[in-house]
Amino acid sequence: MLDYRIRTATTAHLGEARAVMLDTVYRDFGTGYVPRWHADIIDPESFYMTPPRHTLLVAVDETDGTVAATAALDARGPAHPPNPRWLAERYPSGATAQLRRVYVRPEHRRRGLARRLVDGLLDFARADGSYRAVYLHTYPHSPGAVGLWQALGKVVCDEREEVPGGGSGVVHFEIPLA
């Protein structure tokens, strides 16, 4: 079994973290880089390292020092549009810790890295003391994502079933903060 260290990203990790994120949006999501959705991937320092209530965690493979996985948290709630209005109102910016970019390279999956990273993000949110809720969204076709999030929280909106025309096919979750 490989050893991994979960840590707050430094500027030295940004290139590899960005590569993990970009590889995921191209390989797993099939969207490629879309500026309005992925600006944080290109500039993770401004989005996750500079604001005091945001963070970017990485899982570093201790055998070779490479970044195997990423996970981020910020204080931006879901926007309307594209998300349903009631969802944006339920999870307002500032009071909501949104989990983002929980991505694991395929060769490092099924080793508990995503869960360990999320535990670190939840610890960060609790220590902040100002967040009232933890929110995230995922795509059902993202490998392992729905199962992980169902184990950690509850579905608050499955657009495939609750939004006319299936919305954007996203599943929205709330993770308990306590």
Side-chain angles (χ1 to χ4, degrees), residues 37-57:
W37 298 337
H38 304 129
D40 62 306
I41 292 175
I42 299 305
D43 187 12
E45 186 169 10
S46 293
F47 279 84
Y48 303 119
M49 297 171 73
T50 303
R53 297 182 66 220
H54 299 190
T55 193
L56 173 63
L57 301 181

Side-chain angles (χ1 to χ4, degrees), residues 36-169:
R36 72 174 191 255
W37 298 337
H38 304 129
D40 62 306
I41 292 175
I42 299 305
D43 187 12
E45 186 169 10
S46 293
F47 279 84
Y48 303 119
M49 297 171 73
T50 303
R53 297 182 66 220
H54 299 190
T55 193
L56 173 63
L57 301 181
V58 291
V60 177
D61 181 341
E62 292 291 299
T63 61
D64 61 10
T66 60
V67 173
T70 62
L73 178 149
D74 68 33
R76 295 177 295 143
H80 169 75
N83 300 297
R85 179 181 305 280
W86 69 265
L87 204 66
E89 291 169 354
R90 180 174 175 171
Y91 300 106
S93 292
T96 301
Q98 185 167 177
L99 306 188
R100 299 180 184 266
R101 309 300 177 213
V102 181
Y103 300 153
V104 180
R105 288 201 176 276
E107 64 271 23
H108 297 279
R109 291 180 181 157
R110 310 292 309 157
R111 296 185 177 141
L113 291 178
R115 187 178 285 261
R116 288 176 58 196
L117 286 162
V118 170
D119 287 346
L121 294 177
L122 293 174
D123 288 344
F124 181 88
R126 282 190 215 67
D128 176 85
S130 298
Y131 291 116
R132 292 182 316 180
V134 177
Y135 161 87
L136 67 101
H137 71 268
T138 192
Y139 293 94
H141 62 275
S142 182
V146 172
L148 170 69
W149 301 123
Q150 286 176 327
L152 295 174
K154 66 178 182 178
V155 173
V156 293
C157 177
D158 186 335
E159 290 189 19
R160 299 169 300 172
E161 299 169 5
E162 299 174 42
V163 175
S168 57

